[in-house]
Amino acid sequence: GNQCIQTTGTSNSANGGGLYNQNSTFNITRCNITGNASGVAVGDNGFAGGFRALGSAGPTITNIIESNLSNNTATGAYAGFLNVGITNQTAEVTLNLDRTLISNNTATDVDAIGGGGLNLTSGATGPVTTAATNTTVANNTAPDLAGLNNEGATATLVTTFVTVTGNVANNTLNAEGGGIWQGLVVGGSTFIANTISAGNTADPSFGPDLFGTINSIDYNHIGFVGAGTTFTPGTGDVVGTDPNLGPLQNNGGLTSTRLPNAGSRVLNA
């Protein structure tokens, strides 16, 4: 069973409704981080409903394994997880995710930056690095940047065996970034391997499933590649088809996943 539970936490600050890590190493295994809230009303500047990691004076390292980060809310932005480096700081900020579910998190303020699921941003000169493995990012909602968001000149995202699906950017004016979003600031980079990004929702011009320059490390399944996206398919990549996934449910293991149905092109890819 889960070794820890963080639930129903509330914060009116920008420091996360659930858990907060700054300038330290934080190891989380088999934890439910659910039902937390950052901010209680629009305008509260509520960031990171579930978890915030913030680097300033020293290295900030967060390792999350076999955990569930779900059903958290933020009245400002970044409802699920915010991994960030402070402007003009050189400290390393690192997030490692393994066998973890990020789902059903909601950011509500249409004037905020957005961010429903996993959000990585760097105003810093030090590296902000995120590695996600065997992780599912599903059914998160925000005005913009609902799924995976990587922003900043020193921000790097690497996904391996990651599923990004069912995330919804619902801004009524040019909703941006339903699935994986790589910001336009020069220097930031996203690399994907054995990753599914499909079935997400955003304005077609702003990346329902991918946006920005996304680098393939092969064997990915991408639903929709629209305007504003640079993606050169690699070995085994499939683009433009439904991956035919089953529902988000317990398929074995400690977190829910979406397994491919029989006949899916994901199988034996």
Side-chain angles (χ1 to χ4, degrees):
N2 285 13
Q3 295 179 346
C4 77
I5 297 175
Q6 170 60 46
T7 185
T8 66
T10 302
S11 170
N12 289 338
S13 74
N15 290 335
L19 298 174
Y20 177 70
N21 180 25
Q22 183 173 5
N23 305 331
S24 66
T25 297
F26 205 178
N27 297 312
I28 299 171
T29 302
R30 298 185 177 182
C31 189
N32 271 328
I33 306 168
T34 63
N36 302 285
S38 183
V40 294
V42 171
D44 278 345
N45 196 31
F47 281 4
F51 195 120
R52 186 177 193 187
L54 179 66
S56 56
T60 299
I61 301 170
T62 307
N63 301 307
I64 302 179
I65 301 171
E66 292 185 321
S67 294
N68 175 30
L69 187 69
S70 300
N71 298 299
N72 301 289
T73 60
T75 58
Y78 313 124
F81 192 110
L82 174 60
N83 198 46
V84 61
I86 293 179
T87 301
N88 298 324
Q89 299 292 329
T90 60
E92 170 191 7
V93 184
T94 300
L95 168 64
N96 296 306
L97 294 168
D98 186 17
R99 290 162 289 168
T100 288
L101 172 66
I102 301 173
S103 71
N104 295 293
N105 301 291
T106 304
T108 58
D109 188 353
V110 71
D111 294 322
I113 300 169
L118 176 60
N119 302 276
L120 327 162
T121 183
S122 170
T125 55
V128 176
T129 305
T130 297
T133 305
N134 294 314
T135 288
T136 299
V137 180
N139 306 337
N140 301 288
T141 304
D144 299 293
L145 314 179
L148 286 176
N149 168 35
N150 192 49
E151 296 272 357
T154 62
T156 301
L157 168 66
V158 181
T159 68
T160 307
F161 293 106
V162 168
T163 299
V164 183
T165 188
N167 303 289
V168 177
N170 59 10
N171 195 330
T172 57
L173 179 64
N174 298 331
E176 300 178 344
I180 300 175
W181 174 280
Q182 171 57 49
L184 299 178
V185 175
V186 175
S189 55
T190 294
F191 301 88
I192 61 174
N194 299 94
T195 290
I196 299 169
S197 185
N200 303 288
T201 301
D203 187 289
S205 297
F206 296 98
D209 294 317
L210 294 183
F211 182 86
T213 299
I214 308 293
N215 302 285
S216 173
I217 316 179
D218 303 333
Y219 297 101
N220 302 289
H221 193 116
I222 308 302
F224 184 90
V225 176
T229 302
T230 300
F231 178 74
T232 301
T235 301
D237 284 349
V238 175
V239 177
T241 66
D242 184 346
N244 188 15
L245 303 176
L248 186 66
Q249 64 183 19
N250 184 352
N251 293 300
L254 293 176
T255 61
S256 295
T257 56
R258 292 193 61 179
L259 288 183
N261 292 316
S264 168
R265 293 187 64 179
V266 175
L267 296 171
N268 301 316

